[in-house]
Amino acid sequence: MGALHEPLAQLRAVNETSAFNRWCGFEVLSAAPGQVEIVMPWRHEAGQYAGLLHAGLAGALIETACGFAAATLVGPVLAAHYAVNCLRPATGERFIARARVVKPGRSQVFTACELYACIGADETLVATGETLLSVVAGASGP
Amino acid sequence: MGALHEPLAQLRAVNETSAFNRWCGFEVLSAAPGQVEIVMPWRHEAGQYAGLLHAGLAGALIETACGFAAATLVGPVLAAHYAVNCLRPATGERFIARARVVKPGRSQVFTACELYACIGADETLVATGETLLSVVAGASGP
Amino acid sequence: MGALHEPLAQLRAVNETSAFNRWCGFEVLSAAPGQVEIVMPWRHEAGQYAGLLHAGLAGALIETACGFAAATLVGPVLAAHYAVNCLRPATGERFIARARVVKPGRSQVFTACELYACIGADETLVATGETLLSVVAGASGP
Amino acid sequence: MGALHEPLAQLRAVNETSAFNRWCGFEVLSAAPGQVEIVMPWRHEAGQYAGLLHAGLAGALIETACGFAAATLVGPVLAAHYAVNCLRPATGERFIARARVVKPGRSQVFTACELYACIGADETLVATGETLLSVVAGASGP
C-alpha cells in the first residue's frame, strides 16, 4: 500500500482505532516521512510499584512510535521484535517518544526511538529502544 | 535483601502496589524460586488497531513476569533492558506469562519468558522475551 | 526452496563455504529439523584481553547456529537481528552452540540458542541468544 | 578505576592485548570521552557463505567498539548484553564501527554503535547495534 500521503492525519486516525492507545492517552504530536513523535500524559494508573512510569509502558510508547514511523513510509506494519533500554527512573508530567526509520525495506523496516520524560519545558532521556517491523502485505490501510 | 521467603504472597502484595498492574488486571498465578506465572484477562482496552493484544502489553506482561521471577531470588530489581519477540497474532480470553531466571547474580539477573494466549484450556505461544534486571542495592522490600 | 532433505550433510557443506566459519574452526555436530549443534575448539586467537572467549565470537557461534537451525526448515536465510546475553566468563576447551527454531514462517524465522563452554565432559552455560532471520526468497541453496 | 586519561593510547594498548582483535585486524582509529571508532580491513577469512562480512564479525566490531567507548568513561567493562541489526549486505574494503555512550553509570553503561562498510571515500551504514556493559569493580586496568 506504501507511504502515507497525509501522515499526521492518517496516524491520528489510526491511533484512535487502537483501544489501548486511547486508554493510555497516546497522541500523535508530529509525523513526517520516517519520523514520528507521540506523547502520553502521566497518570497514576501508569505507575509501577515505586510510582515511576511502568517499564512496560515505556516499551509500549517506543513500540507504538516506531510502528507509526515505519507506517509513514510503507503503510501497515506489525512489530516482529522490539527492545527497550531503561536508562533512568522515569518520572514526569508527560512522556514523549521520538521514533525514526533507520532502514526501510520491502518486507521489513528497522526503526529506533528515544523516550523523554518532560516536566514543563525540561526533557530528560529516560529510555531508548528499537523495533523491527514486518510490512503487512496486501493491506488496505495503515 | 535477598530471596523472598513467601514468594507468592509477597509478589501478590507487590503486584497490588503497582497501579499499572492493577489497571491491566495482572494477577500472580504462581511463584517459586526463580519462576513466576502471571495472567491478564483480555479486555477491549488492551487491543491495538486490529483488535489483537497490543504488542506493548505483551512486553509489559513479559517484563513484569521476568522482574517477579528475579525478585524471588534476589529481592527488589529494576529492568535495565528487555526485548520482545512477537511470534503470532495474540488473541485470547486471557494471557499467561511464564518467566524464569536464566542466571542470577549479585548485581544483575538474566531472565526469560514465554507469553501464551489462552482460550478455554488451549494455550498458544504468542511471544517470547527476555529481561536483564539490576538488583536494587540496599532496598528493604521487593 | 524450503526444508533441507539431508540437513547434516547439507549444513556441513554450507559451513565449508564460509571462510569465517573455517577460520574459526566451526563444525556442525548435529542437525535435525529445527535444531542444530555447532562446536568451536578453543584457540588462543579467540580470546579477548583477559583470555576469555571474545563476546563477539560467542555471538558469531550463536548467530551461525541459529541460522543453520532456521535453514533446516526453510532453506537459505539471512540474519536481520540477533542478541546475545553474556552470562558467565567463557573459558573452555571447546564451545558448543545449541540452536532451535522457536517459530518458523514464510518470510521470517525466530530462533534461540544456548552456548556452552566445555571442559572434558563438563558443560557450563555461558551465553544465550536469539536471532530473527529473513528467508531468502528464490534462493537455490542454503 | 574510572575514566581513561589518554583514551586513544590506552585503548590501542588494550586492543593489542586481545588476541581476537589482533587476529581480525581491529585498530582503534579515534577515542574521546564516550566515543570510539575502530576499523577492520576486509579479508577473505571474514566472509560468510556468500562472501559478505559474517554477521558475527559485524557484532564483534559493534560489541568491541561499544566496550571501548564505555571504557573511556568508566575503565574496565564486560558486555552483559548486546544486539545487532543487520541492515544491508556488508561488503567493503574496510569496516568502521562508531560507538558512543548513551548513559554511563556506576555499575552499568548503555552504549550504541553504527557499522559502516567503506569503499574508497564512500561509507554505507550496514548495521547498528547496542551493548549494555557491566563495570568491572576493583579492576586495575581497562
Side-chain angles (χ1 to χ4, degrees), chain A residues 10-68:
Chain A
Q10 288 174 278
L11 290 176
R12 283 180 169 166
V14 170
N15 189 52
E16 283 303 302
T17 68
S18 166
F20 183 68
N21 295 17
R22 289 199 309 272
W23 192 30
C24 294
F26 292 176
E27 288 181 37
V28 185
L29 282 183
S30 73
Q35 293 195 53
V36 165
E37 281 184 319
I38 67 174
V39 65
M40 183 188 84
W42 167 253
R43 52 188 293 178
H44 174 72
E45 290 83 355
Q48 39 83 285
Y49 71 88
L52 307 172
L53 181 72
H54 196 287
L57 271 174
L61 279 159
I62 285 169
E63 185 270 333
T64 299
C66 284
F68 284 177

Side-chain angles (χ1 to χ4, degrees), chain C residues 45-58:
Chain C
E45 291 82 356
Q48 39 81 286
Y49 71 88
L52 306 172
L53 182 73
H54 196 287
L57 272 175

Side-chain angles (χ1 to χ4, degrees), chain C residues 47-131:
Chain C
Q48 39 81 286
Y49 71 88
L52 306 172
L53 182 73
H54 196 287
L57 272 175
L61 279 159
I62 286 169
E63 185 271 334
T64 300
C66 284
F68 284 177
T72 62
L73 296 184
V74 300
V77 290
L78 285 172
H81 174 90
Y82 71 95
V84 179
N85 294 301
C86 303
L87 307 178
R88 292 183 178 88
T91 53
E93 300 166 352
R94 61 194 182 288
F95 298 88
I96 297 181
R98 296 196 174 100
R100 64 191 176 284
V101 171
V102 174
K103 167 72 173 59
R106 272 172 309 131
S107 62
Q108 59 188 10
V109 181
F110 294 88
T111 60
C113 188
E114 281 83 42
L115 181 67
Y116 297 88
C118 308
I119 299 179
D122 287 338
E123 296 190 352
T124 304
L125 179 68
V126 292
T128 59
E130 58 185 24
T131 308

Side-chain angles (χ1 to χ4, degrees), chain A residues 17-21 23 43-49 54-57 59-60 63-64 77-86 142, chain B residues 17-21 23-24 43-49 54-57 59-60 63-64 77-86 142:
Chain A
T17 68
S18 166
F20 183 68
N21 295 17
W23 192 30
R43 52 188 293 178
H44 174 72
E45 290 83 355
Q48 39 83 285
Y49 71 88
H54 196 287
L57 271 174
E63 185 270 333
T64 299
V77 289
L78 284 172
H81 175 89
Y82 71 96
V84 180
N85 294 301
C86 303
Chain B
T17 67
S18 165
F20 184 68
N21 295 17
W23 193 31
C24 295
R43 51 188 295 175
H44 174 72
E45 289 83 356
Q48 40 81 283
Y49 71 89
H54 197 288
L57 272 174
E63 185 270 334
T64 300
V77 290
L78 285 172
H81 174 90
Y82 71 96
V84 179
N85 294 300
C86 303

Side-chain angles (χ1 to χ4, degrees), chain A residues 85-103:
Chain A
N85 294 301
C86 303
L87 306 179
R88 292 183 179 86
T91 53
E93 300 166 351
R94 62 196 182 289
F95 298 88
I96 297 182
R98 296 195 174 102
R100 66 193 173 283
V101 171
V102 174
K103 167 71 173 61

Side-chain angles (χ1 to χ4, degrees), chain D residues 4-13 28 30-33 35-36 68 72:
Chain D
L4 302 186
H5 297 297
E6 296 184 70
L8 183 57
Q10 289 175 277
L11 290 176
R12 283 181 169 166
V28 186
S30 72
Q35 292 194 54
V36 166
F68 284 177
T72 62

Side-chain angles (χ1 to χ4, degrees), chain D:
Chain D
M1 106 123 203
L4 302 186
H5 297 297
E6 296 184 70
L8 183 57
Q10 289 175 277
L11 290 176
R12 283 181 169 166
V14 171
N15 189 53
E16 283 302 303
T17 68
S18 165
F20 183 67
N21 295 18
R22 288 199 311 270
W23 192 32
C24 294
F26 292 177
E27 287 182 36
V28 186
L29 283 182
S30 72
Q35 292 194 54
V36 166
E37 280 183 320
I38 66 173
V39 64
M40 183 188 81
W42 166 253
R43 52 187 294 176
H44 174 72
E45 290 82 356
Q48 40 80 286
Y49 71 88
L52 307 171
L53 182 72
H54 196 287
L57 272 174
L61 279 159
I62 287 169
E63 185 270 333
T64 299
C66 285
F68 284 177
T72 62
L73 297 185
V74 301
V77 290
L78 285 172
H81 174 91
Y82 72 95
V84 179
N85 295 300
C86 303
L87 306 178
R88 292 182 178 89
T91 53
E93 300 166 351
R94 60 196 183 287
F95 298 88
I96 296 181
R98 296 197 174 99
R100 64 192 174 285
V101 172
V102 175
K103 167 73 172 62
R106 272 173 308 129
S107 61
Q108 57 188 12
V109 181
F110 294 87
T111 61
C113 188
E114 281 82 42
L115 181 68
Y116 297 87
C118 308
I119 299 180
D122 288 338
E123 296 190 351
T124 304
L125 179 67
V126 292
T128 59
E130 56 183 27
T131 307
L132 178 48
L133 298 126
S134 297
V135 179
V136 177
S140 59

